[in-house]
Amino acid sequence: FVVERKGDRAGEFDLKGRALAPLRDAARLLALKNNQTRRYSTGGRWEDLRRNVPALTELAKIAREAYDVLLTLRLNTAITQQDSGRFVDPSKMTKLEKARLAHAFDVVRMVQDHVRLAYHLESR
């Protein structure tokens, strides 16, 4: 995991910035591109894409699942640390949490690849 290198959060992982935000932004882009503008929540957007855009059924399903896993990790971290849960220390995570986070990143990469293709962007 890419952790913060400087400041108060050195050695911690930014769940919001590095995991949740890419899924949130992709849901917004793909919802707009496919005229799915009824919902304003990230989960709702992924659900609308899954139900209404056949080409995105599977991707939207796993993206929603990954987003939910990340939100759960953030909530559990927030409860444990008594803060926003945005930052998590990988050394304090269980093996299961690390595996779930790694799987969520596989999904984030797949979603980012799809967005690159959908918008004809090149990976740099």
Side-chain angles (χ1 to χ4, degrees), residues 17 65 71 96:
E65 290 170 357
L71 282 178
L96 181 58

Side-chain angles (χ1 to χ4, degrees), residues 2-123:
V2 178
V3 296
E4 301 301 308
R5 293 187 180 269
K6 297 179 182 177
D8 295 348
R9 299 299 189 166
E12 295 181 334
F13 177 77
D14 183 355
L15 277 172
K16 182 179 178 184
R18 297 191 185 271
L20 290 164
L23 289 175
R24 179 202 62 215
D25 294 344
R28 287 177 177 167
L29 286 170
L30 294 172
L32 287 171
K33 182 174 180 65
N34 291 282
N35 298 317
Q36 300 297 309
T37 56
R38 281 188 27 228
R39 308 254 195 128
Y40 298 104
S41 70
T42 301
R45 287 183 177 117
W46 283 122
E47 191 60 29
D48 280 353
L49 289 165
R50 183 189 66 78
R51 288 182 181 172
N52 303 321
V53 183
L56 294 177
T57 299
E58 188 60 29
L59 182 67
K61 179 180 180 241
I62 63 173
R64 170 68 190 264
E65 290 170 357
Y67 192 77
D68 288 346
V69 165
L70 293 166
L71 282 178
T72 300
L73 178 59
R74 184 173 180 185
L75 177 62
N76 290 337
T77 301
I79 291 168
T80 301
Q81 296 178 177
Q82 295 187 356
D83 63 10
S84 71
R86 178 174 181 160
F87 294 91
V88 62
D89 184 345
S91 68
K92 294 180 181 173
M93 293 172 66
T94 66
K95 285 185 180 184
L96 181 58
E97 288 172 330
K98 288 178 184 178
R100 286 182 175 157
L101 185 57
H103 176 70
F105 269 108
D106 290 340
V107 175
V108 169
R109 279 188 285 279
M110 289 179 2
V111 167
Q112 289 174 327
D113 288 345
H114 182 84
V115 168
R116 281 187 197 99
L117 290 171
Y119 286 91
H120 309 290
L121 303 172
E122 290 185 358
S123 176

